[in-house]
Amino acid sequence: MSLEFDQLKNWISEHTKDMVELETMLTKCKSLAPENGGTGEWEKCRVIEEYLKAAGIKYFEHYDAPDSRVAEGSRPNLVATIPGNKDDYAIWVCAHMDVVPVGDIKAWNTDPWTVVEKDGKIYGRGVEDNQQGLCSGVLAALSFVKQHIIPEHTIKLLFMADEEVGSAYGMNYLIKEHFDIFGKNDRILIPDGGDEKGETIEIAEKNIFWVEFHTIGKQCHGSRPDLGKNAMIAGCDLALRINSLEKTFNKEDSLFDPPYSTFQPTKQLANVDGVNFIPGDDVFCCDCRINPSYSLDEVRAEMKKQMAQVEEKYGVKIEMKELQAEESPATSKDAAVAKELALAIKNVHGIEPKFIGIGGGTVAAGLRSKGIDAVVWSTMDELAHQPNEYCIIKNIAADAMTIAWMASEI
């Protein structure tokens, strides 16, 4: 490693405590989406922008998404740029500003909106998800700015809105309305998932398909089922058929855990008010996580086939409603961002990283669907959405060093 990187690394080590101060300021901002009873991310965005300006970062752009539900009339998406010696590609660190509600306040040992530092950790809502990754990007960028070192490649810090409830006002808005801010060759890192060692690089996500099935039969008295059409029985049959699609779409992919596609009936809506009713309506939902080797069109066709068979068998009508449908290709292990991040992890920390896929969803999927390579990586204990959420302070520094290496050594 170069003398310049040693200088960056030492600065990061010496200034990691600054990020505890930033975490403390950010956690006070209750950046909840309107769907979660909040007022959005503007308070936090202003704190970030003011902090970065005071630290010496000069170039900012806003790509705010209109949203009449919040007082400002929009949701903020902020890009801070640190110009590099080369502008052939930019290194992006994309973090979201919104957080989830605290849940059961009785399950917390501390005030979730006030950072508490103890035993090398800081506790509070959002300190890991996603403020840890946000602070790692900031710390890496400031290691250049504060020492007047020009990074080899331009660094861009993206602070997004709305990740926790679908990204319609965040990454998905940027992809739809401002896609040209991303270059085809840009290295895009999303520090919003990982493991305690920082050795797993997520390059693929299962296709997500959430579906609601509404079975319409005929209600009657429980003593005369012959006069009705039991929608619940038909719905149960369909639920089992949907679950059995795990055997139909059965190709396995070792990137994922579990390696197979899953088709799971989940939410069930109430139907009748009494035991002595034959239900004329039945509504249930399925959460399907499908390996990228299958398209959602293939799945849709098979589901409709099963629906038709159930309709004919029970004399009912079934309506299918898609609640969420996302599919994207994997980022190749040979993509520049994947190889360079793996090289950085190995050189900075002596860790041999491995590539994985996940069943959950991140904003990387939208980028991949548009042909932009993106990776999800961080060093974390995965405390997202839990009470007593914490961040290990040294992880902020470790990931900042990795980002700084990518911006200076390649």
Side-chain angles (χ1 to χ4, degrees):
M1 289 183 280
S2 68
L3 290 174
E4 183 180 89
F5 177 71
D6 285 341
Q7 187 177 344
L8 296 167
K9 184 177 179 180
N10 291 337
W11 191 94
I12 289 170
S13 296
E14 293 167 2
H15 292 82
T16 303
K17 276 288 186 180
D18 296 348
M19 295 302 102
V20 176
E21 296 175 13
L22 181 56
E23 283 262 28
T24 300
M25 290 189 289
L26 297 180
T27 303
K28 292 178 181 178
C29 305
K30 299 180 182 180
S31 52
L32 297 166
E35 291 90 336
N36 288 326
T39 57
E41 304 85 0
W42 269 109
E43 181 185 6
K44 182 178 283 188
C45 187
R46 292 187 186 103
V47 169
I48 293 168
E49 191 165 2
E50 290 171 7
Y51 183 91
L52 295 181
K53 285 180 178 177
I57 293 179
K58 301 177 181 179
Y59 304 101
F60 297 89
E61 295 168 294
H62 272 272
Y63 301 93
D64 305 328
D67 188 350
S68 60
R69 299 173 301 169
V70 299
E72 293 84 354
S74 64
R75 307 284 288 281
N77 295 291
L78 174 67
V79 178
T81 300
I82 299 86
N85 283 318
K86 299 176 183 176
D87 204 25
D88 48 349
Y89 63 81
I91 296 172
W92 290 77
V93 183
C94 308
H96 63 86
M97 296 180 287
D98 59 323
V99 300
V100 295
V102 300
D104 182 6
I105 191 66
K106 295 178 183 178
W108 285 79
N109 298 326
T110 62
D111 176 2
W113 303 113
T114 302
V115 162
V116 174
E117 183 178 350
K118 182 180 179 182
D119 299 329
K121 301 175 182 177
I122 52 175
Y123 293 82
R125 174 53 86 221
V127 294
E128 184 188 78
D129 183 23
N130 190 212
Q131 290 167 199
Q132 178 187 314
L134 185 158
C135 288
S136 289
V138 168
L139 188 57
L142 293 185
S143 71
F144 291 93
V145 173
K146 287 292 190 178
Q147 299 184 98
H148 305 288
I149 298 172
I150 299 175
E152 194 65 16
H153 298 280
T154 295
I155 300 171
K156 287 184 176 286
L157 306 178
L158 170 58
F159 307 96
M160 303 173 288
D162 195 40
E163 190 274 343
E164 297 292 2
V165 289
S167 293
Y169 302 92
M171 181 62 85
N172 290 349
Y173 171 78
L174 295 175
I175 291 171
K176 182 179 179 181
E177 301 294 338
H178 300 284
F179 187 63
D180 59 347
I181 68 174
F182 301 108
K184 176 70 176 176
N185 296 319
D186 286 355
R187 279 53 162 166
I188 299 183
L189 169 62
I190 299 161
D192 197 18
D195 66 278
E196 62 184 12
K197 295 181 180 179
E199 65 181 359
T200 53
I201 302 173
E202 186 260 278
I203 58 171
E205 296 172 15
K206 290 184 178 180
N207 297 330
I208 299 177
F209 199 36
W210 291 1
V211 191
E212 177 185 277
F213 296 98
H214 179 195
T215 302
I216 303 167
K218 182 180 178 182
Q219 182 176 310
C220 64
H221 196 280
S223 67
R224 291 298 307 272
D226 55 306
L227 299 179
K229 294 178 180 177
N230 195 320
M232 183 177 179
I233 290 178
C236 288
D237 189 346
L238 180 60
L240 290 171
R241 289 168 182 254
I242 297 301
N243 179 239
S244 71
L245 294 183
E246 293 182 1
K247 298 177 181 178
T248 303
F249 299 97
N250 59 3
K251 293 178 185 176
E252 295 194 356
D253 188 331
S254 60
L255 273 178
F256 298 100
D257 188 12
Y260 50 85
S261 301
T262 57
F263 293 78
Q264 292 292 312
T266 54
K267 184 178 180 181
Q268 178 81 44
L269 273 61
N271 44 33
V272 291
D273 295 325
V275 177
N276 60 339
F277 289 86
I278 298 296
D281 277 276
D282 182 83
V283 179
F284 73 93
C285 302
C286 285
D287 182 342
C288 309
R289 309 288 173 132
I290 303 153
N291 284 348
S293 54
Y294 296 108
S295 72
L296 292 188
D297 281 341
E298 292 177 88
V299 173
R300 290 184 181 100
E302 186 59 33
M303 284 184 174
K304 289 177 181 178
K305 177 182 173 182
Q306 296 300 324
M307 287 166 53
Q309 292 177 3
V310 172
E311 286 178 326
E312 182 177 359
K313 181 177 179 179
Y314 296 97
V316 298
K317 178 177 174 56
I318 302 174
E319 297 174 348
M320 174 178 165
K321 180 181 179 181
E322 296 184 12
L323 305 178
Q324 186 173 352
E326 296 182 9
E327 56 185 322
S328 64
T331 292
S332 170
K333 296 176 184 178
D334 294 322
V337 66
K339 291 195 297 184
E340 290 168 13
L341 175 58
L343 189 62
I345 294 169
K346 186 173 182 178
N347 276 277
V348 178
H349 304 294
I351 295 172
E352 192 67 51
K354 56 185 178 181
F355 296 105
I356 65 165
I358 62 170
T362 73
V363 297
L367 291 164
R368 291 171 184 150
S369 69
K370 295 296 183 180
I372 299 292
D373 291 322
V375 294
V376 179
W377 168 84
S378 192
T379 307
M380 59 171 59
D381 281 4
E382 290 277 26
L383 274 295
H385 302 198
Q386 297 183 36
N388 302 307
E389 176 183 352
Y390 66 76
C391 158
I392 298 175
I393 298 170
K394 67 178 183 180
N395 287 344
I396 299 175
D399 291 359
M401 292 173 189
T402 309
I403 296 164
W405 194 92
M406 291 179 68
S408 65
E409 293 290 317
I410 298 175

